[in-house]
Amino acid sequence: MKQRFPLKTLAAAASVLVLSACGALAPKNERPAAPVAQAWPVDGKVAAGAQGQAAAELPWQSFYGQDARLRELIKLALENNRDLRVALLNVEQARALAGVANAARLPTVGVGLGASRQPDSTGKSVNSYQAGLQITAYEIDLFGRVKNQSDAAMARYLATAEGGRAAQISLVSGLASAYLAWVADGEMVKLSLATLATRAESLRLIRLKYEAGAASALDLAAAESAHAAGLAALAQAKRAQAQDENALTLLVGQPLPANLPTGQSLAAQSLADVPAGLPSEVLVNRPDVLQAEAQLMAANANIGAARAAFFPSILLTTNFGTASSALSELFKNSIWTLSGQALMPIFDAGRNQANLDAAKAAQGIAVAQYEKAVQQAFREVADGLAGRATFTEQLQAQAAQTKAENERLRLVDLRYSNGASSSLELLDAQRASFAAEQALVQVRLAALLNGVNLYKALGGGVEVKGAASKS
């Protein structure tokens, strides 16, 4: 006699197979291997030399803690910047949409009340009243289509949240860079004014000598050229300063307040030192990398949903309530209905296969975008470390050159006053001193901007609760 499997055993086996199929529809979420080196391409002492708190854990209030004006401007920007506001609202929208997608996994229960009147076979009007709870077209998610759609929506929400964090980090970095450029151009204006005053006085004296026959036309032309160059440099510095202020106003989201705290000069600026750590540590803290990873998770879930479309969809509709031909007896007679519908795709002109192919292509794009985000992060940190390794030496060398040019100008001016140097030699010393001072300001700015960019590249710039009291 052939042994037969009990019906419950067959049902249990079928359930296991179905659940196994559901789990296999979506690719497993695995972080792709980082296509970068395991260490930064700089000297090990440089990469590990910085001591202090990791950038991602160091609040911007501490990193920019030396300049009260900068901290106040960053605070205002975080409150008023429109781009950041849009990014945060996008996060809220994505969170709500993820809630909508997740709600589809549960049945929607509604209460309904209906009344109708229609003639019977004798022509007499018959009343009918119904009231009860209803579940309409609830999909029994045996193959994980709805679950994968919910997972994809949640992953998109996580990606948007990381995008919001990246927007804040970029705003803090952008405002700090614009502020430092504003300070630098302000110092350029002061330097140009002082140089122009000196050249105007030299032009006045040479013109007097020329009129008295003690200076040549060549001397006069050289002095006029130097004075005109000073005017051009002043105009350029004023224009750059005004443009920097406009950029700050846009980033802050409002006109700059008149009662801002006193800021520091470029030479007095000091940024907190942050260690580079390992590339793997940076990737964990970079919001753009985490965003790309979440987008890859969403792409995997979309593949699962596209594969589930090849399997039957089972819809359940049910109603439980009361019915009566008289409104006064409505709640005396209970009724219920339960109906199901299974839809199996047979011919769809290749629609499901095309959707699956599109989902697989989107996953490939997401992988490439993740790898690009990793490479971009690696490059930005490596650039910052290279700058940190060389800007100190460049700044020292430029300061030494500026000091030497200023001393040269002092000596030439002294010799010119005693008639031992020509006016052309004096003008040349003035030009060299002015150029060295300008270069010193530019190198100081570049070194500070490198520190700002390195802090950003390491994932620093987040808002930390309780840190505002330090500002």
Side-chain angles (χ1 to χ4, degrees):
M1 180 177 178
K2 185 180 291 185
Q3 185 178 8
R4 295 183 178 179
F5 289 99
L7 183 60
K8 291 184 178 179
T9 303
L10 290 173
S15 299
V16 171
L17 291 175
V18 168
L19 291 176
S20 299
C22 293
L25 293 182
K28 184 178 179 181
N29 287 315
E30 294 181 348
R31 179 178 296 171
V36 294
Q38 298 300 313
W40 308 115
V42 292
D43 183 72
K45 295 181 180 179
V46 175
Q51 302 295 326
Q53 194 172 4
E57 301 173 358
L58 183 67
W60 60 262
Q61 294 93 332
S62 300
F63 185 75
Y64 301 109
Q66 300 298 321
D67 195 311
R69 174 175 288 186
L70 175 56
R71 294 200 311 273
E72 182 64 22
L73 288 174
I74 293 177
K75 180 180 177 182
L76 291 173
L78 292 175
E79 294 173 354
N80 301 305
N81 183 267
R82 301 312 189 271
D83 290 334
L84 180 61
R85 188 176 300 174
V86 169
L88 296 180
L89 289 175
N90 284 335
V91 175
E92 292 299 315
Q93 183 185 44
R95 181 183 62 81
L97 292 175
V100 172
N102 188 61
R105 301 177 63 182
L106 299 175
T108 299
V109 181
V111 60
L113 178 63
S116 64
R117 172 177 291 184
Q118 59 185 8
D120 59 10
S121 59
T122 64
K124 183 180 178 180
S125 296
V126 177
N127 297 328
S128 177
Y129 302 94
Q130 293 183 350
L133 300 177
Q134 297 178 350
I135 298 177
T136 304
Y138 167 60
E139 182 173 353
I140 301 177
D141 195 28
L142 293 179
F143 301 98
R145 187 185 71 87
V146 179
K147 177 183 181 300
N148 281 312
Q149 288 178 339
S150 175
D151 291 344
M154 178 56 67
R156 287 192 293 269
Y157 160 61
L158 296 177
T160 308
E162 292 298 336
R165 194 160 71 97
Q168 176 176 311
I169 290 176
S170 296
L171 174 60
V172 172
S173 172
L175 192 137
S177 298
Y179 173 77
L180 292 172
W182 184 48
V183 173
D185 286 326
E187 295 186 3
M188 286 290 196
V189 170
K190 294 179 181 178
L191 178 61
S192 297
L193 285 172
T195 301
L196 183 61
T198 301
R199 292 183 179 181
E201 178 63 17
S202 297
L203 176 60
R204 186 185 69 84
L205 294 176
I206 291 177
R207 181 174 283 117
L208 290 176
K209 290 184 177 181
Y210 174 75
E211 292 174 352
S216 66
L218 179 61
D219 294 334
L220 179 60
E224 290 175 340
S225 175
H227 183 262
L231 288 173
L234 177 61
Q236 180 181 2
K238 286 183 176 180
R239 180 177 64 253
Q241 185 184 33
Q243 291 173 343
D244 292 337
E245 185 170 346
N246 293 336
L248 278 176
T249 301
L250 178 61
L251 290 171
V252 171
Q254 67 175 48
L256 301 185
N259 58 344
L260 286 172
T262 302
Q264 291 186 328
S265 66
L266 210 61
Q269 294 287 341
S270 177
L271 304 177
D273 207 5
V274 289
L278 298 174
S280 58
E281 296 173 347
V282 174
L283 301 185
V284 173
N285 297 312
R286 286 270 302 210
D288 55 342
V289 175
L290 295 176
Q291 182 181 23
E293 184 177 357
Q295 290 170 342
L296 177 56
M297 294 170 59
N300 288 335
N302 286 334
I303 290 179
R307 286 174 174 168
F310 288 89
F311 295 89
S313 59
I314 301 176
L315 303 179
L316 179 66
T317 299
T318 183
N319 181 28
F320 177 79
T322 62
S324 175
S325 60
L327 185 60
S328 59
E329 299 179 354
L330 176 60
F331 298 100
K332 292 183 179 181
N333 302 316
S334 63
I335 63 168
W336 62 271
T337 59
L338 177 63
S339 62
Q341 183 182 27
L343 299 176
M344 178 69 182
I346 297 178
F347 174 75
D348 62 358
R351 181 184 296 108
N352 286 340
Q353 184 60 49
N355 286 333
L356 179 58
D357 293 342
K360 289 181 177 179
Q363 184 208 35
I365 294 173
V367 171
Q369 289 176 336
Y370 174 83
E371 293 174 343
K372 180 181 178 181
V374 171
Q375 292 174 336
Q376 181 67 24
F378 188 90
R379 183 259 173 97
E380 290 176 359
V381 176
D383 286 348
L385 292 176
R388 188 165 69 182
T390 55
F391 268 119
T392 300
E393 298 176 0
Q394 183 180 0
L395 187 58
Q396 291 174 347
Q398 186 60 50
Q401 181 187 6
T402 303
K403 181 179 179 181
E405 290 294 349
N406 288 338
E407 177 64 13
R408 174 193 169 198
L409 175 60
R410 187 188 69 83
L411 294 175
V412 170
D413 185 59
L414 182 62
R415 286 169 54 85
Y416 178 76
S417 300
N418 294 319
S421 292
S422 66
S423 60
L424 293 178
E425 188 177 0
L426 176 62
L427 291 175
D428 180 67
Q430 289 176 345
R431 279 192 294 267
S433 176
F434 180 51
E437 291 283 0
Q438 286 180 311
L440 181 59
V441 172
Q442 292 169 351
V443 173
R444 282 174 178 165
L445 175 61
L448 289 169
L449 292 181
N450 183 77
V452 171
N453 291 332
L454 179 59
Y455 177 59
K456 174 190 174 184
L458 293 171
V462 295
E463 180 78 14
V464 178
K465 299 296 182 182
S469 59
K470 299 178 182 180
S471 60

